[in-house]
Amino acid sequence: MQHQHPHPEEHLTSSAMLQDIVIGLSDGLTVPFALAAGLSGAVDSSALVITAGLAEIVAGSIAMGLGGYLAGRTEVEHYQAELAREYREVAEVPHVERAEVDELLAEMGLSPATRAQAVQELTADPHQWVRFMMKYELGLEKPDPQQARNSALTIGLAYALGGLVPLSAYFFTATPREGLLWSAVITLVCLLVFGFLKSRLTGQPPVLGALRMAGIGALAAGAAFLVARWIGG
């Protein structure tokens, strides 16, 4: 009976998606927050802050999504290039590749007799041989061909969602200064919660992660606000 192992694939997919969500949300919460804070120190119109904030969210979502797509495509292209090179080496210099297989098995602690049998069986099938070299010599796992598209969508949407959080306060307040106050409260609470959950999921100290995330957001917004006040006089 064939035994299947669906769990590792699900684990890798969920890990990749979690990483993309973290990238999108963390930037989405901090960058538009800093922009809105900076504008609040320079203008007297909440409408202007909202317009500039929405424009930044759209541009930022596209830029972040494109970055995720290019990173995913680069991973796929790198894997394909290494795969083609391994097939070529197996065909052109099989004695060298067999010696590398034996060396890898020796590092795993196999005895000479066991290694000899394993090398013979592993190298009997070129496809199995190449898969072994890709995983254990190069440390490369076959990437999901749809990962580039999925990363682009996930990062872009997470950025947009995160960006709307600090901007939402300006829709319900009369002045940019009042909007900034509520935006700071809402965003810092979200950063604390997000930093706590992200650190807990990744095995880091959650309280420290929450404080670090909120501190970065506060520092960015404070710097933008002070620069805008200084330039605007």
Side-chain angles (χ1 to χ4, degrees), residues 5 17-18 26 41 65 79 97 104 118 139 146 169 180 183 185 205 223 229:
H5 298 277
M17 180 174 290
L18 176 62
S26 59
Y79 183 87
E97 292 297 296
L104 289 169
Q146 304 300 323
L180 175 59
S183 178
V185 172
R229 284 290 301 274

Side-chain angles (χ1 to χ4, degrees), residues 23 49 54 65 97 105-106 118 130 160 168 200 202 208 219-220:
I23 292 172
V49 176
L54 290 175
E97 292 297 296
L105 294 175
V130 168
S168 62
R200 189 166 185 177
T202 55
L208 180 60
L219 181 62

Side-chain angles (χ1 to χ4, degrees), residues 81-158:
E82 291 295 334
L83 185 68
R85 185 177 66 83
E86 282 297 329
Y87 271 111
R88 185 171 62 252
E89 290 179 351
V90 162
E92 295 176 357
V93 286
H95 61 287
V96 175
E97 292 297 296
R98 286 193 180 91
E100 290 180 353
V101 172
D102 183 73
E103 182 179 347
L104 289 169
L105 294 175
E107 292 176 357
M108 296 178 186
L110 274 66
S111 66
T114 303
R115 293 204 311 270
Q117 180 66 26
V119 169
Q120 181 179 357
E121 293 184 3
L122 281 170
T123 59
D125 179 1
H127 301 297
Q128 177 178 263
W129 188 354
V130 168
R131 284 197 300 270
F132 178 85
M133 299 302 287
M134 291 292 289
K135 182 172 183 179
Y136 293 102
E137 182 191 24
L138 301 179
L140 295 176
E141 296 283 352
K142 184 177 180 180
D144 181 358
Q146 304 300 323
Q147 184 59 40
R149 181 199 64 189
N150 295 341
S151 289
L153 292 174
T154 303
I155 293 175
L157 290 174

Side-chain angles (χ1 to χ4, degrees), residues 47-66:
L48 182 58
V49 176
I50 292 171
T51 301
L54 290 175
E56 195 286 326
I57 290 173
V58 172
S61 296
I62 294 173
M64 292 290 293
L66 181 60

